[in-house]
Amino acid sequence: MTQLAETTSKDTISKNTSKLVPPHGSKELKPLLLTGDFRAQALKLAATLPKITLSSRERGDLIMLGIGGFTPLDGFMNQADWQGVVDNMRLQTGANAGLFWPIPITLSAPKATADSLNKGDKVALVAESGEIMGVLTVEETYTIDKEHECQQVFTTTDSEHPGVQQVLSQDEVNIAGSVEVLSEGEFPTLYPETYKTPEQTRQILADKGWKTVAAFQTRNPMHRSHEYLAKIAIEICDGVLVHSLLGALKPGDIPAEVRQEAIKTLIDNYFKQDTVIQAGYPLDMRYAGPREALLHALFRQNYGCSHLIVGRDHAGVGDYYGAFDAQTIFEKLEKDDLITQPLNIDWTFWCNACGAMASSKTCPHDASQHVKVSGTKLRKALSEDEEVPDNFSRPEVLEILRRYYANIAKEERAEVKLVGASAV
């Protein structure tokens, strides 16, 4: 694509999107993905450069930088920005100084590699597969207190926490600098129906005439409580974006292609037409609970969403977070930190007395009548070949999930434990 064609395409995509919330900290999206001759030239240069191999998490972050999902960042954070984000959730340097940002976006490298680099050097960023993903211009190299980052971001240094594991296992030195992104990886071809860039998503929302849009974050197939949350949001907003994580998960979580099929089946059978859009994004889960909920709201603003549905234990894992910590953290923000706002919803459950889904705010019946549904409970039942009640999940969805588990030998299935809010 030539530079002129690229500009024309952007002008077309941005048409009629002015009614949507603006991107975070910017009047327009700032994608860093090169195309056409610019990409070809950068790939040729990258083949001659020293290389840094990206972790799965770093690769997802780089792709988000490329497609504008992390607008207005121009690359991986320097030490001052890392410190400001970890301690105060604020960037500290450059044009973005003072801007709200809840989780550090960083790149690490072995000490020997970092010691060989000087400010202004260029380095190729390579996936574990060997694919050249981008080029970074070095601004700074620095070391961090990994345990401090974990305590601030995850509220724990427990190495059993999957997000803590990611940070503790990263290389010794962080490399900061602006990036040129050269690939979106396998996502456009592996998930052609659901993977969407912020520009594409904004155009879809604009074409529907939607102004208020609630994002529903999920790393699970949608069960009855999820369905209920989305339908509450449809009553309030013009529509819902069911936005599935397509990157890496922890063992025992259900793969993206299975989740996509299950979600599509649910939407086709149980939602009114043109009220829900399914899409996906390329990040790995961090399982950072409240801080990750803030990041989810931030980049959903870039995707054009005015609201983020925040229910029980959003982005949580195990018993590291309180059931509604991800809601109360939004109360600590300053007025202009985020335009996208949380749509907080209380405990949801099936009530036997009501004969329907309900919430703690609407149901008058005793807790003994309530069947609380969670993705963890559903995965546990399915992985252990137990019966799943209809009030847990729709039968068409269960059929898809049972078919998935039937292809996994029992001894190869990850153990699913009920702890924290999922055990209630």
Side-chain angles (χ1 to χ4, degrees), residues 90 100 301 330-341:
R90 303 221 170 259
F100 171 77
Q301 185 174 323
F330 281 87
E331 298 170 6
K332 301 177 182 178
L333 304 189
E334 296 183 9
K335 179 185 175 185
D336 297 326
D337 283 345
L338 283 174
I339 296 175
T340 295
Q341 294 297 302

Side-chain angles (χ1 to χ4, degrees), residues 173-278:
V173 183
N174 279 4
I175 314 293
S178 59
V179 296
E180 297 171 316
V181 183
L182 308 179
S183 173
E184 295 172 77
E186 75 283 3
F187 295 104
T189 53
L190 195 58
Y191 309 109
E193 298 300 318
T194 52
Y195 173 74
K196 298 284 186 295
T197 68
E199 286 181 340
Q200 292 168 332
T201 302
R202 282 175 166 269
Q203 188 62 58
I204 292 169
L205 301 178
D207 288 346
K208 288 185 173 293
W210 292 359
K211 181 179 179 181
T212 56
V213 184
F216 179 74
Q217 154 70 29
T218 183
R219 68 178 192 261
N220 288 305
M222 291 176 70
H223 50 62
R224 292 293 296 270
S225 281
H226 292 154
E227 178 188 337
Y228 185 61
L229 294 177
K231 287 179 175 176
I232 291 172
I234 291 169
E235 295 285 359
I236 298 169
C237 299
D238 295 330
V240 167
L241 176 70
V242 176
H243 212 202
S244 297
L245 177 135
L246 301 177
L249 299 161
K250 61 180 174 60
D253 284 350
I254 294 172
E257 59 272 16
V258 180
R259 282 183 276 122
Q260 284 181 106
E261 182 184 2
I263 291 168
K264 182 179 186 302
T265 296
L266 181 70
I267 292 171
D268 288 347
N269 286 281
Y270 294 99
F271 284 85
K272 185 175 179 180
Q273 189 174 1
D274 290 328
T275 60
V276 182
I277 298 166
Q278 183 182 185

Side-chain angles (χ1 to χ4, degrees), residues 60-128:
D61 289 350
L62 180 69
I63 295 171
M64 281 290 274
L65 288 164
I67 62 178
F70 281 164
T71 296
L73 300 186
D74 64 0
F76 290 102
M77 293 179 181
N78 58 30
Q79 186 169 19
D81 284 336
W82 171 84
Q83 193 80 57
V85 168
V86 166
D87 289 338
N88 301 305
M89 297 194 289
R90 303 221 170 259
L91 299 170
Q92 298 296 309
T93 63
N96 298 321
L99 185 70
F100 171 77
W101 200 278
I103 289 181
I105 307 300
T106 57
L107 169 70
S108 67
K111 186 176 185 301
T113 300
D115 288 346
S116 69
L117 298 174
N118 297 304
K119 184 175 182 179
D121 288 350
K122 292 185 180 294
V123 59
L125 305 178
V126 182
E128 292 175 350

